[in-house]
Amino acid sequence: MPYGKESGQLSPLRPLIDGMQGHNFALPDCLKFFLECMGEEESLDFWDIAALTGDTVAQVYDRFPSDRREYCVSGYLAGRSYMAYVFDVLGYGLEYAESRDIAADPARYREKVAAFIDRGIPVLAVTNLRAVPGWESDVGTHALVVGYADSGRILKLLVRDTVVIDYVMPEEPPLELAFIGEKQRQVSLAALYRAAILRMPYWLTLPEREGKCFGPAAYRAWADDIEAGRFEDESLPLWENYGVYVCNLATSGGLPVYLFRKLAQEDPALAELSRLGEEIGKLLPTETPAGGRSLLWIRLEELGGGMDMQQVRLTMGDRKKRAAVAATLREYAGRLDRVLELLQEGLCCLAGESE
């Protein structure tokens, strides 16, 4: 039976991707929004989810000019299989509709979107900001469908803060939709922390794909490009191709080592994990023992390779100065190599326990 309502929208809307809180990765905040709508707003915070998605675990870097997708693991891996993993870890089912699915049966998906919105549940949109007129940002991959109009032919996309864009669905939309399914199982906080920690070596060792690099390899590829003079080219936009990667490492601050402490608190039998987290934290230091800015970010700023693009342009034009930036990134990659060794040595008991 055709769906009868003309329009609908979730209300009220809370701000999405609040940069003032450091929430610079879209998918974790979209998932947090989902959990709030499902009555699980107290279960996980943004940073817990960003560890599960890999976004605060592995640095990324693209050897090629920016294609405007989000500069993080979830932006680079966005798609059906990645999303299925994320929803499964959270304990939820998922229906994922690729562009071809929507084009083959647009009426079905219009009705499905409307039904979700009318139940008070958003739908996750996976696209690229270049395909959404009016989406003003440096990058964009994930947004939330928070409403519909014209019987679902128009999707209301929440893209940032409380900015909602009316997106008219074309016959072959450059957009995919993720519908959260039924709760498949209850997942304890301990199980979620365990899953995030066990997945860390995977995120850190993802192989390069289409020029996109992860973990220690991302820092090394970035350093190679700096020394080779990639960023001397004044026609190359610096923020989209350099600054975003500084923003990534500044947002992450190194591995989310607090999870080791959280899991040990949830399960006292795993107290040894707290010590493992402390050892990793020593390799990836922040300005205070309690956290704050990573020393890598601080050092890049000191070298003129931070977030001031005017200063970066000058630094990249000086062989000696840019070599110092590259050396700093390579040194950090070496630290991550050691972190991987510690993880592989220390997670054997945890992996066995999860089987």
Side-chain angles (χ1 to χ4, degrees):
M1 178 183 298
Y3 198 77
K5 285 189 66 175
E6 171 74 16
S7 63
Q9 183 169 322
L10 303 183
S11 182
L13 296 177
R14 66 125 164 117
L16 189 72
I17 319 170
D18 186 349
M20 296 303 294
Q21 296 186 62
H23 297 176
N24 295 317
F25 304 138
L27 181 61
D29 208 24
C30 289
L31 293 172
K32 175 63 176 168
F33 197 113
F34 268 123
L35 294 176
E36 291 165 3
C37 292
M38 302 300 286
E40 296 191 42
E41 61 272 14
E42 300 301 325
S43 60
L44 296 170
D45 63 19
F46 171 91
W47 300 105
D48 294 334
I49 299 170
L52 283 169
T53 62
D55 289 321
T56 54
V57 178
Q59 176 73 22
V60 299
Y61 176 76
D62 194 345
R63 296 179 184 273
F64 298 118
S66 171
D67 57 9
R68 309 301 292 277
R69 75 180 75 186
E70 290 158 11
Y71 48 90
C72 53
V73 168
S74 59
Y76 283 7
L77 301 185
R80 184 191 295 271
S81 60
Y82 174 78
M83 209 63 70
Y85 157 76
V86 172
F87 276 79
D88 181 64
V89 168
L90 293 172
Y92 282 92
L94 170 71
E95 179 181 343
Y96 194 90
E98 296 180 340
S99 300
R100 62 179 178 233
D101 302 318
I102 300 169
D105 196 352
R108 176 178 183 268
Y109 290 104
R110 287 198 296 267
E111 292 180 15
K112 193 171 184 69
V113 167
F116 265 65
I117 298 302
D118 291 343
R119 286 166 49 206
I121 303 172
V123 177
L124 182 66
V126 183
T127 183
N128 187 292
L129 66 83
R130 291 180 299 187
V132 181
W135 189 351
E136 296 180 0
S137 181
D138 51 356
V139 294
T141 301
H142 299 95
L144 285 175
V145 182
V146 295
Y148 64 96
D150 192 16
S151 300
R153 293 177 180 83
I154 296 174
L155 302 184
K156 293 184 174 292
L157 299 180
L158 177 63
V159 296
R160 176 176 286 275
D161 300 322
T162 54
V163 176
V164 175
I165 295 172
D166 282 355
Y167 177 70
V168 180
M169 289 282 278
E171 290 185 7
E172 296 184 5
L175 175 142
E176 301 176 344
L177 297 172
F179 299 89
I180 192 168
E182 297 297 324
K183 186 81 171 181
Q184 303 294 309
R185 65 189 187 284
Q186 291 298 323
V187 186
S188 67
L189 284 176
L192 290 167
Y193 299 150
R194 181 183 292 111
I197 291 170
L198 285 172
R199 194 75 168 177
M200 287 179 180
Y202 173 81
W203 300 130
L204 288 167
T205 56
L206 281 168
E208 180 178 338
R209 53 186 74 189
E210 299 178 342
K212 293 173 171 58
C213 306
F214 304 83
Y219 284 108
R220 292 189 170 101
W222 190 6
D224 289 346
D225 278 356
I226 288 172
E227 281 199 319
R230 177 186 183 191
F231 303 104
E232 273 190 301
D233 181 358
E234 295 194 2
S235 68
L236 183 72
L238 268 185
W239 178 255
E240 294 94 320
N241 295 285
Y242 182 98
V244 293
Y245 305 118
V246 181
C247 187
N248 178 300
L249 69 88
T251 300
S252 302
L255 289 181
V257 294
Y258 68 90
L259 289 178
F260 294 86
R261 183 175 64 254
K262 277 189 169 184
L263 180 53
Q265 290 170 349
E266 291 286 326
D267 186 348
L270 298 174
E272 186 65 28
L273 284 177
S274 287
R275 287 185 281 276
L276 176 59
E278 289 171 4
E279 288 301 307
I280 292 173
K282 291 175 184 176
L283 287 165
L284 311 176
T286 53
E287 56 188 340
T288 71
R293 293 187 300 165
S294 71
L295 295 191
L296 173 60
W297 179 17
I298 293 172
R299 181 59 178 152
L300 289 178
E301 294 290 351
E302 292 171 347
L303 292 171
M307 288 200 211
D308 182 338
M309 293 303 101
Q310 289 185 333
Q311 182 60 56
V312 168
R313 184 69 77 188
L314 294 173
T315 300
M316 293 299 129
D318 184 308
R319 288 181 179 272
K320 185 176 180 180
K321 289 181 178 179
R322 74 187 189 220
V325 173
T328 298
L329 295 175
R330 289 200 184 95
E331 192 271 341
Y332 198 79
R335 289 173 176 265
L336 282 174
D337 290 339
R338 177 58 184 148
V339 165
L340 271 166
E341 292 174 1
L342 289 177
L343 286 170
Q344 289 161 353
E345 293 167 3
L347 295 183
C348 295
C349 63
L350 190 60
E353 190 174 302
S354 67
E355 292 176 354

